[in-house]
Short mmCIF file of all heavy atoms in Angstrom, two decimals:
data_model
loop_
_atom_site.label_atom_id
_atom_site.label_comp_id
_atom_site.label_asym_id
_atom_site.label_seq_id
_atom_site.Cartn_x
_atom_site.Cartn_y
_atom_site.Cartn_z
N MET A 10 315.21 -97.08 -31.80
CA MET A 10 314.86 -97.82 -30.69
C MET A 10 313.49 -97.22 -30.02
O MET A 10 313.53 -96.09 -29.75
CB MET A 10 316.08 -97.78 -29.73
CG MET A 10 315.87 -98.63 -28.49
SD MET A 10 317.41 -98.90 -27.61
CE MET A 10 316.86 -98.40 -25.99
N SER A 11 312.72 -98.14 -29.63
CA SER A 11 311.44 -97.81 -29.00
C SER A 11 311.58 -98.02 -27.50
O SER A 11 312.03 -99.03 -27.23
CB SER A 11 310.30 -98.56 -29.64
OG SER A 11 309.08 -98.33 -29.01
N THR A 12 311.12 -97.05 -26.80
CA THR A 12 311.03 -97.23 -25.37
C THR A 12 309.62 -97.28 -24.96
O THR A 12 308.74 -96.60 -25.45
CB THR A 12 311.80 -96.16 -24.60
OG1 THR A 12 311.16 -94.81 -24.98
CG2 THR A 12 313.29 -96.08 -24.90
N VAL A 13 309.34 -98.08 -23.96
CA VAL A 13 307.93 -98.22 -23.45
C VAL A 13 307.91 -97.64 -21.98
O VAL A 13 308.76 -97.99 -21.22
CB VAL A 13 307.51 -99.73 -23.32
CG1 VAL A 13 306.15 -99.71 -22.75
CG2 VAL A 13 307.52 -100.29 -24.77
N ALA A 14 307.01 -96.62 -21.77
CA ALA A 14 306.94 -96.02 -20.45
C ALA A 14 306.33 -96.97 -19.52
O ALA A 14 305.55 -97.96 -19.83
CB ALA A 14 306.06 -94.83 -20.56
N ALA A 15 306.72 -96.79 -18.27
CA ALA A 15 306.18 -97.65 -17.21
C ALA A 15 305.61 -96.70 -16.21
O ALA A 15 306.05 -95.63 -16.02
CB ALA A 15 307.19 -98.46 -16.52
N VAL A 16 304.47 -97.01 -15.65
CA VAL A 16 303.78 -96.13 -14.71
C VAL A 16 303.55 -96.82 -13.40
O VAL A 16 303.52 -98.02 -13.24
CB VAL A 16 302.45 -95.64 -15.25
CG1 VAL A 16 302.63 -94.85 -16.52
CG2 VAL A 16 301.47 -96.79 -15.48
N GLY A 17 303.15 -96.07 -12.38
CA GLY A 17 302.69 -96.55 -11.14
C GLY A 17 301.31 -96.01 -10.91
O GLY A 17 300.91 -95.04 -11.37
N VAL A 18 300.48 -96.82 -10.25
CA VAL A 18 299.09 -96.52 -10.00
C VAL A 18 298.85 -96.50 -8.54
O VAL A 18 299.18 -97.44 -7.75
CB VAL A 18 298.14 -97.70 -10.67
CG1 VAL A 18 296.70 -97.34 -10.17
CG2 VAL A 18 298.37 -97.69 -12.18
N VAL A 19 298.37 -95.33 -8.06
CA VAL A 19 297.99 -95.17 -6.63
C VAL A 19 296.47 -94.92 -6.50
O VAL A 19 295.96 -94.00 -7.15
CB VAL A 19 298.74 -94.04 -6.08
CG1 VAL A 19 298.32 -93.75 -4.64
CG2 VAL A 19 300.29 -94.19 -6.24
N VAL A 20 295.88 -95.75 -5.79
CA VAL A 20 294.40 -95.52 -5.67
C VAL A 20 294.10 -95.38 -4.08
O VAL A 20 294.25 -96.33 -3.34
CB VAL A 20 293.60 -96.70 -6.13
CG1 VAL A 20 292.11 -96.44 -6.10
CG2 VAL A 20 294.08 -97.11 -7.56
N PRO A 21 293.61 -94.17 -3.77
CA PRO A 21 293.04 -94.08 -2.34
C PRO A 21 291.68 -94.80 -2.20
O PRO A 21 290.89 -94.45 -3.18
CB PRO A 21 293.02 -92.56 -2.14
CG PRO A 21 293.36 -91.87 -3.27
CD PRO A 21 293.67 -93.01 -4.34
N THR A 22 291.47 -95.59 -1.30
CA THR A 22 290.17 -96.30 -1.19
C THR A 22 289.56 -96.24 0.17
O THR A 22 290.14 -96.08 1.18
CB THR A 22 290.30 -97.73 -1.60
OG1 THR A 22 291.26 -98.30 -0.68
CG2 THR A 22 290.78 -97.88 -3.03
N LEU A 23 288.20 -96.27 0.09
CA LEU A 23 287.40 -96.54 1.41
C LEU A 23 286.14 -97.22 0.93
O LEU A 23 285.26 -96.59 0.15
CB LEU A 23 287.02 -95.23 2.07
CG LEU A 23 286.05 -95.25 3.19
CD1 LEU A 23 286.47 -96.19 4.25
CD2 LEU A 23 285.72 -93.95 3.76
N ASN A 24 286.03 -98.52 1.27
CA ASN A 24 284.82 -99.18 0.68
C ASN A 24 284.40 -98.91 -0.82
O ASN A 24 283.51 -98.35 -1.08
CB ASN A 24 283.63 -98.82 1.67
CG ASN A 24 283.79 -99.28 3.05
OD1 ASN A 24 284.41 -100.31 3.33
ND2 ASN A 24 283.26 -98.46 4.04
N ALA A 25 285.39 -99.47 -1.55
CA ALA A 25 285.35 -99.06 -3.05
C ALA A 25 284.00 -99.59 -3.61
O ALA A 25 283.61 -99.04 -4.74
CB ALA A 25 286.62 -99.65 -3.69
N GLY A 26 283.40 -100.59 -3.10
CA GLY A 26 282.09 -100.95 -3.67
C GLY A 26 282.05 -101.77 -4.94
O GLY A 26 283.09 -102.43 -5.28
N VAL A 27 280.91 -101.81 -5.54
CA VAL A 27 280.77 -102.76 -6.67
C VAL A 27 281.60 -102.33 -7.91
O VAL A 27 281.84 -103.25 -8.82
CB VAL A 27 279.23 -102.79 -7.09
CG1 VAL A 27 278.39 -103.37 -5.90
CG2 VAL A 27 278.66 -101.42 -7.42
N ARG A 28 282.00 -101.22 -8.00
CA ARG A 28 282.72 -100.85 -9.29
C ARG A 28 284.25 -101.12 -9.05
O ARG A 28 285.01 -101.07 -10.02
CB ARG A 28 282.61 -99.32 -9.54
CG ARG A 28 281.23 -98.95 -10.01
CD ARG A 28 281.18 -97.54 -10.37
NE ARG A 28 279.76 -97.22 -10.70
CZ ARG A 28 279.39 -95.94 -11.07
NH1 ARG A 28 280.27 -95.00 -11.00
NH2 ARG A 28 278.18 -95.72 -11.41
N TRP A 29 284.64 -101.53 -7.91
CA TRP A 29 286.10 -101.70 -7.71
C TRP A 29 286.68 -102.84 -8.50
O TRP A 29 287.73 -102.75 -9.16
CB TRP A 29 286.26 -102.05 -6.16
CG TRP A 29 287.63 -102.22 -5.67
CD1 TRP A 29 288.08 -103.27 -4.89
CD2 TRP A 29 288.82 -101.50 -5.96
NE1 TRP A 29 289.37 -103.07 -4.58
CE2 TRP A 29 289.96 -102.00 -5.24
CE3 TRP A 29 289.10 -100.30 -6.69
CZ2 TRP A 29 291.22 -101.50 -5.29
CZ3 TRP A 29 290.32 -99.82 -6.72
CH2 TRP A 29 291.35 -100.35 -6.03
N GLN A 30 285.91 -103.93 -8.66
CA GLN A 30 286.36 -105.16 -9.47
C GLN A 30 286.62 -104.62 -10.96
O GLN A 30 287.53 -105.01 -11.51
CB GLN A 30 285.40 -106.24 -9.42
CG GLN A 30 286.02 -107.63 -9.80
CD GLN A 30 287.20 -108.01 -8.99
OE1 GLN A 30 288.34 -108.10 -9.63
NE2 GLN A 30 287.05 -108.25 -7.72
N ALA A 31 285.71 -103.78 -11.42
CA ALA A 31 285.90 -103.30 -12.82
C ALA A 31 287.18 -102.46 -12.96
O ALA A 31 287.75 -102.44 -13.90
CB ALA A 31 284.60 -102.59 -13.28
N CYS A 32 287.30 -101.67 -12.00
CA CYS A 32 288.50 -100.71 -11.90
C CYS A 32 289.81 -101.63 -11.98
O CYS A 32 290.74 -101.28 -12.74
CB CYS A 32 288.45 -99.79 -10.68
SG CYS A 32 289.85 -98.71 -10.59
N LEU A 33 289.77 -102.50 -11.04
CA LEU A 33 290.97 -103.42 -11.11
C LEU A 33 291.25 -104.16 -12.39
O LEU A 33 292.39 -104.30 -12.80
CB LEU A 33 290.83 -104.51 -9.93
CG LEU A 33 290.90 -103.99 -8.47
CD1 LEU A 33 290.47 -105.05 -7.55
CD2 LEU A 33 292.23 -103.29 -8.13
N ALA A 34 290.17 -104.56 -12.97
CA ALA A 34 290.30 -105.20 -14.23
C ALA A 34 290.80 -104.25 -15.35
O ALA A 34 291.72 -104.62 -16.19
CB ALA A 34 288.92 -105.85 -14.67
N ALA A 35 290.32 -102.99 -15.32
CA ALA A 35 290.80 -102.05 -16.31
C ALA A 35 292.19 -101.73 -16.09
O ALA A 35 292.94 -101.60 -17.09
CB ALA A 35 289.89 -100.78 -16.14
N ILE A 36 292.74 -101.58 -14.84
CA ILE A 36 294.12 -101.44 -14.63
C ILE A 36 294.94 -102.57 -15.14
O ILE A 36 295.98 -102.37 -15.83
CB ILE A 36 294.35 -101.10 -13.18
CG1 ILE A 36 293.75 -99.76 -12.64
CG2 ILE A 36 295.91 -101.15 -12.80
CD1 ILE A 36 293.65 -99.56 -11.16
N ALA A 37 294.51 -103.77 -14.90
CA ALA A 37 295.18 -104.98 -15.38
C ALA A 37 295.34 -105.00 -16.95
O ALA A 37 296.26 -105.59 -17.39
CB ALA A 37 294.49 -106.14 -14.84
N GLU A 38 294.35 -104.37 -17.58
CA GLU A 38 294.39 -104.50 -19.03
C GLU A 38 295.12 -103.39 -19.84
O GLU A 38 295.11 -103.40 -21.00
CB GLU A 38 292.91 -104.39 -19.52
CG GLU A 38 292.09 -105.74 -19.16
CD GLU A 38 290.55 -105.64 -19.54
OE1 GLU A 38 290.21 -104.67 -20.07
OE2 GLU A 38 289.92 -106.45 -19.05
N GLN A 39 295.70 -102.47 -18.97
CA GLN A 39 296.50 -101.33 -19.63
C GLN A 39 297.59 -101.85 -20.54
O GLN A 39 298.28 -102.82 -20.21
CB GLN A 39 296.99 -100.44 -18.51
CG GLN A 39 295.99 -99.78 -17.73
CD GLN A 39 295.07 -98.85 -18.54
OE1 GLN A 39 295.41 -98.06 -19.41
NE2 GLN A 39 293.81 -99.15 -18.49
N SER A 40 297.79 -101.17 -21.61
CA SER A 40 298.86 -101.58 -22.50
C SER A 40 300.33 -101.08 -22.05
O SER A 40 301.20 -101.61 -22.38
CB SER A 40 298.64 -101.12 -23.94
OG SER A 40 298.54 -99.69 -23.93
N CYS A 41 300.27 -100.07 -21.25
CA CYS A 41 301.41 -99.46 -20.70
C CYS A 41 301.81 -100.26 -19.36
O CYS A 41 300.96 -100.55 -18.58
CB CYS A 41 301.27 -98.02 -20.31
SG CYS A 41 302.73 -97.26 -19.72
N PRO A 42 303.03 -100.82 -19.26
CA PRO A 42 303.34 -101.70 -18.16
C PRO A 42 303.20 -100.85 -16.78
O PRO A 42 303.64 -99.72 -16.71
CB PRO A 42 304.85 -101.98 -18.33
CG PRO A 42 305.09 -101.75 -19.71
CD PRO A 42 304.05 -100.61 -20.18
N VAL A 43 302.49 -101.45 -15.88
CA VAL A 43 302.27 -100.83 -14.53
C VAL A 43 303.42 -101.37 -13.66
O VAL A 43 303.33 -102.69 -13.32
CB VAL A 43 300.88 -101.17 -14.07
CG1 VAL A 43 300.72 -100.51 -12.66
CG2 VAL A 43 299.80 -100.58 -14.99
N ARG A 44 304.36 -100.52 -13.26
CA ARG A 44 305.44 -100.96 -12.49
C ARG A 44 305.04 -101.18 -10.92
O ARG A 44 305.52 -102.08 -10.42
CB ARG A 44 306.51 -99.95 -12.61
CG ARG A 44 307.79 -100.25 -11.82
CD ARG A 44 308.88 -99.31 -12.09
NE ARG A 44 309.28 -99.57 -13.45
CZ ARG A 44 310.00 -98.54 -14.10
NH1 ARG A 44 310.37 -97.40 -13.62
NH2 ARG A 44 310.34 -98.73 -15.45
N ARG A 45 304.24 -100.44 -10.50
CA ARG A 45 303.75 -100.57 -9.16
C ARG A 45 302.35 -100.24 -9.08
O ARG A 45 301.75 -99.22 -9.60
CB ARG A 45 304.60 -99.65 -8.10
CG ARG A 45 304.20 -99.94 -6.71
CD ARG A 45 305.08 -99.30 -5.70
NE ARG A 45 304.78 -99.71 -4.39
CZ ARG A 45 305.03 -99.06 -3.32
NH1 ARG A 45 305.56 -97.77 -3.34
NH2 ARG A 45 304.51 -99.40 -2.06
N ARG A 46 301.65 -101.10 -8.15
CA ARG A 46 300.12 -100.91 -7.95
C ARG A 46 300.08 -100.73 -6.41
O ARG A 46 300.50 -101.57 -5.56
CB ARG A 46 299.43 -102.12 -8.36
CG ARG A 46 299.44 -102.42 -9.76
CD ARG A 46 298.85 -103.75 -10.10
NE ARG A 46 298.95 -104.03 -11.48
CZ ARG A 46 299.83 -104.53 -12.26
NH1 ARG A 46 301.01 -104.73 -11.68
NH2 ARG A 46 299.57 -104.78 -13.51
N LEU A 47 299.51 -99.56 -6.00
CA LEU A 47 299.48 -99.20 -4.56
C LEU A 47 298.00 -98.84 -4.17
O LEU A 47 297.43 -97.96 -4.85
CB LEU A 47 300.48 -98.15 -4.25
CG LEU A 47 300.50 -97.58 -2.78
CD1 LEU A 47 300.67 -98.62 -1.81
CD2 LEU A 47 301.33 -96.43 -2.71
N VAL A 48 297.47 -99.40 -3.17
CA VAL A 48 296.20 -98.85 -2.56
C VAL A 48 296.60 -98.31 -1.20
O VAL A 48 297.26 -98.92 -0.40
CB VAL A 48 295.22 -100.07 -2.49
CG1 VAL A 48 294.14 -99.72 -1.48
CG2 VAL A 48 294.59 -100.27 -3.81
N ILE A 49 296.04 -97.15 -0.98
CA ILE A 49 296.08 -96.52 0.38
C ILE A 49 294.63 -96.62 0.85
O ILE A 49 293.73 -95.81 0.41
CB ILE A 49 296.70 -95.13 0.44
CG1 ILE A 49 298.05 -95.18 -0.26
CG2 ILE A 49 296.64 -94.59 1.88
CD1 ILE A 49 298.72 -93.77 -0.29
N ASP A 50 294.32 -97.45 1.83
CA ASP A 50 293.08 -97.73 2.17
C ASP A 50 292.73 -97.16 3.60
O ASP A 50 293.46 -97.31 4.50
CB ASP A 50 292.69 -99.27 2.23
CG ASP A 50 291.22 -99.50 2.54
OD1 ASP A 50 290.46 -99.38 1.64
OD2 ASP A 50 290.97 -99.86 3.69
N SER A 51 291.51 -96.46 3.74
CA SER A 51 291.15 -95.85 4.96
C SER A 51 290.23 -96.68 5.70
O SER A 51 288.99 -96.32 6.03
CB SER A 51 290.47 -94.47 4.67
OG SER A 51 291.38 -93.62 3.92
N ALA A 52 290.54 -97.89 6.20
CA ALA A 52 289.96 -98.78 7.09
C ALA A 52 288.61 -99.29 6.39
O ALA A 52 287.56 -99.19 7.04
CB ALA A 52 289.61 -98.06 8.40
N SER A 53 288.62 -99.71 5.16
CA SER A 53 287.49 -100.32 4.56
C SER A 53 286.88 -101.42 5.38
O SER A 53 287.65 -102.19 5.96
CB SER A 53 287.72 -100.78 3.11
OG SER A 53 288.03 -99.71 2.23
N THR A 54 285.53 -101.61 5.33
CA THR A 54 284.84 -102.71 6.00
C THR A 54 284.35 -103.64 5.05
O THR A 54 283.69 -104.68 5.40
CB THR A 54 283.71 -102.14 6.87
OG1 THR A 54 282.82 -101.41 6.13
CG2 THR A 54 284.37 -101.36 8.01
N ASP A 55 284.56 -103.44 3.70
CA ASP A 55 284.03 -104.43 2.71
C ASP A 55 285.26 -105.11 2.18
O ASP A 55 286.42 -105.34 2.75
CB ASP A 55 283.35 -103.58 1.52
CG ASP A 55 284.20 -102.68 0.82
OD1 ASP A 55 285.37 -102.60 1.08
OD2 ASP A 55 283.71 -102.00 -0.16
N SER A 56 285.26 -105.71 0.98
CA SER A 56 286.29 -106.62 0.40
C SER A 56 287.30 -105.73 -0.45
O SER A 56 288.12 -106.35 -1.08
CB SER A 56 285.73 -107.67 -0.43
OG SER A 56 284.96 -106.97 -1.53
N THR A 57 287.30 -104.49 -0.24
CA THR A 57 288.29 -103.64 -1.04
C THR A 57 289.73 -104.06 -0.93
O THR A 57 290.38 -104.29 -1.93
CB THR A 57 288.15 -102.16 -0.67
OG1 THR A 57 286.84 -101.74 -0.97
CG2 THR A 57 289.17 -101.25 -1.25
N VAL A 58 290.25 -104.27 0.28
CA VAL A 58 291.54 -104.57 0.52
C VAL A 58 291.88 -106.03 0.01
O VAL A 58 292.89 -106.25 -0.68
CB VAL A 58 291.97 -104.49 1.93
CG1 VAL A 58 293.35 -105.05 2.22
CG2 VAL A 58 291.95 -102.94 2.42
N ALA A 59 291.01 -107.00 0.22
CA ALA A 59 291.14 -108.37 -0.24
C ALA A 59 291.31 -108.41 -1.71
O ALA A 59 292.10 -109.11 -2.24
CB ALA A 59 290.09 -109.20 0.34
N GLN A 60 290.33 -107.72 -2.46
CA GLN A 60 290.41 -107.61 -3.82
C GLN A 60 291.69 -107.08 -4.30
O GLN A 60 292.30 -107.49 -5.39
CB GLN A 60 289.12 -106.87 -4.40
CG GLN A 60 287.82 -107.64 -4.18
CD GLN A 60 286.70 -106.84 -4.72
OE1 GLN A 60 286.88 -106.12 -5.70
NE2 GLN A 60 285.55 -106.92 -3.92
N ALA A 61 292.21 -105.96 -3.73
CA ALA A 61 293.33 -105.29 -4.15
C ALA A 61 294.57 -106.32 -3.92
O ALA A 61 295.39 -106.31 -4.81
CB ALA A 61 293.63 -104.02 -3.39
N ARG A 62 294.60 -106.93 -2.89
CA ARG A 62 295.73 -107.93 -2.62
C ARG A 62 295.61 -109.03 -3.78
O ARG A 62 296.74 -109.46 -4.31
CB ARG A 62 295.56 -108.56 -1.31
CG ARG A 62 296.19 -107.77 -0.26
CD ARG A 62 296.52 -108.49 1.13
NE ARG A 62 297.02 -107.69 2.08
CZ ARG A 62 296.32 -107.03 3.01
NH1 ARG A 62 295.07 -107.28 3.21
NH2 ARG A 62 296.91 -106.21 3.88
N ALA A 63 294.48 -109.46 -4.03
CA ALA A 63 294.35 -110.54 -5.12
C ALA A 63 294.76 -110.03 -6.49
O ALA A 63 295.32 -110.82 -7.30
CB ALA A 63 292.99 -111.06 -5.13
N ALA A 64 294.73 -108.69 -6.72
CA ALA A 64 295.14 -108.20 -7.97
C ALA A 64 296.62 -107.71 -7.85
O ALA A 64 297.04 -106.92 -8.70
CB ALA A 64 294.23 -107.00 -8.24
N ASP A 65 297.36 -108.13 -6.80
CA ASP A 65 298.73 -107.84 -6.79
C ASP A 65 299.17 -106.39 -6.44
O ASP A 65 300.10 -105.89 -6.92
CB ASP A 65 299.48 -108.39 -7.96
CG ASP A 65 300.99 -108.61 -7.66
OD1 ASP A 65 301.33 -108.90 -6.54
OD2 ASP A 65 301.70 -108.49 -8.65
N PHE A 66 298.28 -105.79 -5.78
CA PHE A 66 298.49 -104.34 -5.23
C PHE A 66 299.31 -104.35 -3.93
O PHE A 66 299.03 -105.29 -3.13
CB PHE A 66 297.12 -103.60 -5.11
CG PHE A 66 296.63 -102.89 -6.20
CD1 PHE A 66 296.07 -103.64 -7.27
CD2 PHE A 66 296.70 -101.52 -6.43
CE1 PHE A 66 295.58 -103.02 -8.39
CE2 PHE A 66 296.14 -100.90 -7.57
CZ PHE A 66 295.65 -101.68 -8.49
N ASP A 67 300.18 -103.43 -3.73
CA ASP A 67 300.69 -103.18 -2.34
C ASP A 67 299.69 -102.44 -1.61
O ASP A 67 298.90 -101.74 -2.21
CB ASP A 67 302.05 -102.40 -2.44
CG ASP A 67 303.14 -103.16 -3.11
OD1 ASP A 67 303.24 -104.33 -3.04
OD2 ASP A 67 303.91 -102.41 -3.95
N ILE A 68 299.61 -102.72 -0.32
CA ILE A 68 298.53 -101.98 0.50
C ILE A 68 299.16 -101.28 1.54
O ILE A 68 300.00 -101.73 2.37
CB ILE A 68 297.54 -103.15 1.06
CG1 ILE A 68 297.06 -104.13 0.11
CG2 ILE A 68 296.45 -102.36 1.85
CD1 ILE A 68 296.18 -103.54 -1.06
N ILE A 69 298.67 -100.08 1.79
CA ILE A 69 298.94 -99.23 2.99
C ILE A 69 297.72 -98.96 3.62
O ILE A 69 296.79 -98.36 2.94
CB ILE A 69 299.69 -97.89 2.69
CG1 ILE A 69 301.06 -98.21 2.08
CG2 ILE A 69 299.86 -97.09 3.94
CD1 ILE A 69 301.74 -96.96 1.61
N GLU A 70 297.44 -99.46 4.87
CA GLU A 70 296.20 -99.20 5.55
C GLU A 70 296.47 -98.02 6.55
O GLU A 70 297.38 -98.08 7.32
CB GLU A 70 295.71 -100.44 6.29
CG GLU A 70 295.43 -101.52 5.19
CD GLU A 70 294.98 -102.85 5.81
OE1 GLU A 70 293.75 -102.82 6.28
OE2 GLU A 70 295.69 -103.84 5.92
N ILE A 71 295.47 -97.09 6.44
CA ILE A 71 295.56 -96.01 7.45
C ILE A 71 294.26 -95.87 8.14
O ILE A 71 293.15 -96.42 7.69
CB ILE A 71 295.82 -94.62 6.68
CG1 ILE A 71 294.76 -94.18 5.72
CG2 ILE A 71 297.26 -94.60 6.13
CD1 ILE A 71 294.93 -92.93 5.01
N LYS A 72 294.18 -95.20 9.27
CA LYS A 72 292.92 -94.87 9.95
C LYS A 72 292.11 -93.91 9.17
O LYS A 72 292.64 -92.96 8.51
CB LYS A 72 293.21 -94.35 11.37
CG LYS A 72 293.91 -95.30 12.29
CD LYS A 72 294.27 -94.71 13.51
CE LYS A 72 295.11 -95.58 14.45
NZ LYS A 72 295.51 -94.90 15.63
N ARG A 73 290.82 -94.02 9.30
CA ARG A 73 289.94 -92.96 8.53
C ARG A 73 290.13 -91.59 9.11
O ARG A 73 290.34 -90.63 8.16
CB ARG A 73 288.40 -93.25 8.77
CG ARG A 73 288.02 -94.41 8.09
CD ARG A 73 286.48 -94.74 8.23
NE ARG A 73 286.21 -96.05 7.59
CZ ARG A 73 284.99 -96.50 7.52
NH1 ARG A 73 283.97 -95.88 7.96
NH2 ARG A 73 284.80 -97.62 6.95
N ALA A 74 290.51 -91.35 10.28
CA ALA A 74 290.83 -90.12 10.80
C ALA A 74 292.08 -89.52 10.27
O ALA A 74 292.30 -88.30 10.31
CB ALA A 74 290.87 -90.13 12.30
N ASP A 75 293.03 -90.39 9.74
CA ASP A 75 294.26 -89.92 9.26
C ASP A 75 294.20 -89.48 7.74
O ASP A 75 295.08 -89.06 7.21
CB ASP A 75 295.36 -90.98 9.45
CG ASP A 75 295.76 -91.17 10.93
OD1 ASP A 75 295.41 -90.24 11.70
OD2 ASP A 75 296.19 -92.25 11.22
N PHE A 76 293.00 -89.81 7.05
CA PHE A 76 292.94 -89.52 5.69
C PHE A 76 292.80 -87.99 5.47
O PHE A 76 292.04 -87.32 6.09
CB PHE A 76 291.72 -90.20 5.05
CG PHE A 76 291.38 -89.80 3.66
CD1 PHE A 76 292.09 -90.35 2.59
CD2 PHE A 76 290.59 -88.71 3.38
CE1 PHE A 76 291.95 -89.95 1.30
CE2 PHE A 76 290.42 -88.31 2.05
CZ PHE A 76 291.08 -88.96 0.98
N SER A 77 293.55 -87.60 4.55
CA SER A 77 293.37 -86.16 3.93
C SER A 77 293.70 -86.28 2.52
O SER A 77 294.58 -87.12 2.16
CB SER A 77 294.15 -85.17 4.59
OG SER A 77 295.45 -85.21 4.36
N HIS A 78 293.07 -85.47 1.60
CA HIS A 78 293.36 -85.64 0.19
C HIS A 78 294.76 -85.40 -0.10
O HIS A 78 295.43 -86.23 -0.84
CB HIS A 78 292.39 -84.68 -0.57
CG HIS A 78 291.05 -85.12 -0.63
ND1 HIS A 78 290.55 -86.14 -1.43
CD2 HIS A 78 289.98 -84.75 0.18
CE1 HIS A 78 289.24 -86.36 -1.10
NE2 HIS A 78 288.89 -85.53 -0.22
N GLY A 79 295.39 -84.27 0.43
CA GLY A 79 296.75 -83.95 0.12
C GLY A 79 297.65 -84.93 0.85
O GLY A 79 298.69 -85.39 0.22
N GLY A 80 297.43 -85.19 2.07
CA GLY A 80 298.32 -86.00 2.88
C GLY A 80 298.42 -87.38 2.45
O GLY A 80 299.50 -87.97 2.49
N THR A 81 297.35 -87.99 2.05
CA THR A 81 297.32 -89.34 1.65
C THR A 81 298.02 -89.42 0.28
O THR A 81 298.91 -90.40 0.06
CB THR A 81 295.85 -89.85 1.47
OG1 THR A 81 295.24 -89.69 2.70
CG2 THR A 81 295.82 -91.35 1.00
N ARG A 82 297.94 -88.50 -0.56
CA ARG A 82 298.66 -88.57 -1.82
C ARG A 82 300.15 -88.32 -1.59
O ARG A 82 300.95 -88.89 -2.24
CB ARG A 82 298.07 -87.52 -2.76
CG ARG A 82 296.78 -88.08 -3.37
CD ARG A 82 295.89 -86.93 -4.00
NE ARG A 82 294.78 -87.44 -4.49
CZ ARG A 82 293.63 -87.89 -3.91
NH1 ARG A 82 293.70 -87.93 -2.57
NH2 ARG A 82 292.61 -88.31 -4.59
N GLN A 83 300.53 -87.51 -0.57
CA GLN A 83 301.93 -87.37 -0.23
C GLN A 83 302.49 -88.65 0.35
O GLN A 83 303.67 -89.01 0.01
CB GLN A 83 302.07 -86.23 0.79
CG GLN A 83 302.04 -84.84 0.19
CD GLN A 83 303.14 -84.34 -0.61
OE1 GLN A 83 303.97 -85.22 -0.98
NE2 GLN A 83 303.22 -83.17 -0.95
N LEU A 84 301.68 -89.34 0.97
CA LEU A 84 302.17 -90.70 1.63
C LEU A 84 302.46 -91.59 0.45
O LEU A 84 303.46 -92.31 0.49
CB LEU A 84 300.99 -91.20 2.47
CG LEU A 84 301.25 -92.67 3.07
CD1 LEU A 84 302.50 -92.69 3.93
CD2 LEU A 84 300.11 -93.08 3.78
N ALA A 85 301.74 -91.57 -0.54
CA ALA A 85 301.99 -92.45 -1.71
C ALA A 85 303.26 -92.12 -2.36
O ALA A 85 303.98 -92.94 -2.84
CB ALA A 85 300.79 -92.28 -2.76
#
């Protein structure tokens, strides 16, 4: 019997920019099922959050001042 692993994807973001759409597309094309998609966004002022929502990501929005590399990952 074969089992297929499922993963979760967590992406901390802040104004992800022009490469964000390519990143979202690459995640969508993974052969391993992605069980949960989560963006933790630090108050982006571009279309980062809207694009993530359109790609079926869950969103947690935090203040820029609340971002820390370890703390944000613990939140995830």
Side-chain angles (χ1 to χ4, degrees):
M10 182 168 129
S11 174
T12 60
V13 176
V16 299
V18 174
V19 178
V20 184
T22 58
L23 170 61
N24 295 328
V27 297
R28 293 186 179 175
W29 184 225
Q30 199 56 244
C32 179
L33 293 171
I36 292 168
E38 294 173 6
Q39 295 302 305
S40 60
C41 185
V43 178
R44 183 171 294 161
R45 183 167 188 209
R46 294 167 178 85
L47 174 64
V48 160
I49 302 178
D50 186 76
S51 300
S53 287
T54 57
D55 65 1
S56 62
T57 297
V58 172
Q60 289 180 39
R62 278 198 182 100
D65 202 28
F66 274 70
D67 296 323
I68 311 294
I69 296 175
E70 295 182 74
I71 62 173
K72 296 176 185 173
R73 287 185 190 185
D75 292 339
F76 175 83
S77 72
H78 289 283
T81 301
R82 284 157 178 79
Q83 285 289 11
L84 176 62

